[in-house]
Each structure stands twice: as structure tokens, then as C-alpha cells.
Amino acid sequence: MQETNQKLTGFAAEIRNIAGWAWALAAIGFLGMQYVFNVVVAHQPDAPPAWARPLMGLSVGLLVAFYMLMIGYVNRDFKLVARWAWILAAIGFLSMQFVFNVVIARQPDAPPAWARVLLGLLVGLILTCYLLLIGYVNRDSGRRGMSRVLWTTVSVLVPNGLGIILYFILRQPVIGNCPQCGHAVQHGFNFCPQCNCKLNPSCPQCQRMVSPQDAYCPYCGTSLPDPAVRSGVPQIEVRH
Ligand SMILES: [Zn+2]
Ligand SMILES: [Zn+2]
């Protein structure tokens, strides 16, 4: 894919990156939570008071929708998520089921069974999304030339997913990849620092970058190979 430098920036452009299915899932998740808290939970003999149910439905629904949208935003890049993050996410989900359905169930003042199952699934799901997003930030920051340690730490330590949101707001554009070896290369590099692959057309005499339309080097006047030869230079692949 050829890079266009006029990339849309800002919040509106970022929102457009969210996949359609994620909006659908977020809406289903949100509405589902309203149903669960206002209908399913309301029918339980020991349901929370009527005023609390819509409030719980709204807050949990928003939380679920938020994480669905984040997952949809990452969408195409999800294969970046580190393997350890998938493993941690699975362990996190399963341990939440254990905590809510076994550990808490043994407490004398345990919440009723329906609440434990619901809480276990919800907390497990949110924890899973949270860990996967941290695994994503860990890798994604690297290919954007940002500090992986710093941003992984920020995502883990800043509560309520705010560290992850901060990362998405502040992250740098993706660095291109060398078409030959895949090494991350910054825009404007003439050669790949890893394998010396030629990334931009350059003057054979003085090695400075030239435009593909130039017939002569603007720096030293050397006659440049014809455009057919110059267009043979592989373009930097940029993943968005
Ligand atoms: Zn290379
Ligand atoms: Zn030159």
C-alpha cells in the first residue's frame, strides 16, 4: 500500500477507524445490559431496588459498549496482540469465574447465584478486553517508535482504561516497514537501517533523495536513470 501523507488526524478520523460490527456489538451490549438489569434482574426475588437497576444497567452498559468499541478500533491490528496477553486474558477470565462462583459463593453474606454468575461473566469479559488492549499497546507503541515500557506501564497503572485512552490519543503515526525485511523505518529514510534496502529513489552519485520525476539530480547534476527504472524502487509499506 502506498503511503498518502495527507492522513486524517484528530478524533473524528480515529472514530472512523472503528469497524461497523463493533458499533453493532456495542449497541447490542448496551441494550443487552439494560435488559439484564431492568428485566432479568428485576424478576429475581432479591433484586436490587428499582432506582438502582437502571443506574446499574446504564453504567455497566456503557462500560461494555466502551470496551467493544475499543476492540473494534484495534480490529485489523488485533494480530499484533502479544501471545502472553491472550494467555493472561484467558487466565483472567477463568479466575474471575472462580472468584465469583466459588470463592465469593462461600462467604456468609454472598450475593445471590444470579448476581455471582452475572458479575463473574461481566468482570471476566471486561478484564479480558482490558488485558488484550494492554497487549496491543505493548506491541503497537513499538512499531510507532514510542516507548513500549512507558506506555505499557501507563496502560496498566492509570485506572479505568484511561491510560489506554491516553495512549490512543497520543500515539504517533505508524512507522513504515521495509518492503524487504519488514524492519520499522521512519518516513524520509532513504535506506533501511537493517538490510540497506533502497526505500526512496536516490542519486547514484551523491546518494541524496531525489523525486521520481527528476531527470537530473538537483544536488549534483548527475543524470538519473529513466523513470521506468526509478519506479522499480519498492515503496515503503505503511500499515495504518
Ligand atoms: Zn530492510
Ligand atoms: Zn546527486
Side-chain angles (χ1 to χ4, degrees):
M1 197 192 345
Q2 205 161 335
E3 184 186 14
T4 53
N5 280 322
Q6 296 86 28
K7 233 180 25 169
L8 284 166
T9 48
F11 194 63
E14 299 291 322
I15 291 286
R16 246 183 265 172
N17 284 335
I18 298 176
W21 57 259
W23 286 106
L25 270 185
I28 293 170
F30 182 80
L31 293 175
M33 285 307 121
Q34 308 318 307
Y35 180 77
V36 165
F37 280 96
N38 295 301
V39 180
V40 180
V41 168
H43 282 118
Q44 303 301 321
D46 41 11
W51 64 265
R53 294 194 300 261
L55 213 61
M56 289 164 83
L58 282 178
S59 46
V60 176
L62 283 177
L63 198 65
V64 169
F66 165 74
Y67 274 102
M68 287 300 145
L69 291 179
M70 291 294 270
I71 296 287
Y73 180 63
V74 171
N75 178 24
R76 286 168 298 175
D77 292 335
F78 227 74
K79 56 185 181 297
L80 273 183
V81 175
R83 184 175 288 264
W84 57 259
W86 284 105
I87 295 169
L88 270 185
I91 294 173
F93 184 82
L94 293 176
S95 54
M96 282 307 116
Q97 308 319 306
F98 180 76
V99 165
F100 280 97
N101 295 303
V102 180
V103 179
I104 290 186
R106 287 192 185 142
Q107 305 299 317
D109 48 359
W114 61 264
R116 294 196 306 265
V117 172
L118 194 67
L119 280 169
L121 287 175
L122 271 176
V123 176
L125 192 71
I126 288 164
L127 185 68
T128 300
C129 293
Y130 182 63
L131 289 170
L132 290 180
L133 285 169
I134 289 170
Y136 174 75
V137 168
N138 178 267
R139 287 287 171 86
D140 187 58
S141 51
R143 69 179 186 138
R144 288 165 192 270
M146 299 163 75
S147 166
R148 288 179 62 184
V149 175
L150 172 73
W151 283 105
T152 308
T153 313
V154 167
S155 327
V156 173
L157 294 185
V158 181
N160 300 324
L162 288 177
I164 296 172
I165 297 178
L166 197 68
Y167 169 77
F168 281 114
I169 292 172
L170 294 179
R171 68 179 183 173
Q172 303 292 314
V174 180
I175 297 172
N177 288 92
C178 166
Q180 190 165 295
C181 72
H183 186 77
V185 283
Q186 278 169 31
H187 187 70
F189 276 15
N190 284 350
F191 291 92
C192 169
Q194 202 66 36
C195 73
N196 200 30
C197 171
K198 198 183 210 179
L199 302 171
N200 284 305
S202 58
C203 168
Q205 183 65 32
C206 70
Q207 304 300 327
R208 284 197 247 199
M209 208 198 320
V210 294
S211 150
Q213 294 87 35
D214 293 344
Y216 294 93
C217 171
Y219 302 101
C220 71
T222 301
S223 172
L224 299 171
D226 67 82
V229 176
R230 291 195 294 272
S231 66
V233 172
Q235 291 291 321
I236 303 176
E237 271 175 49
V238 173
R239 291 174 292 175
H240 296 292

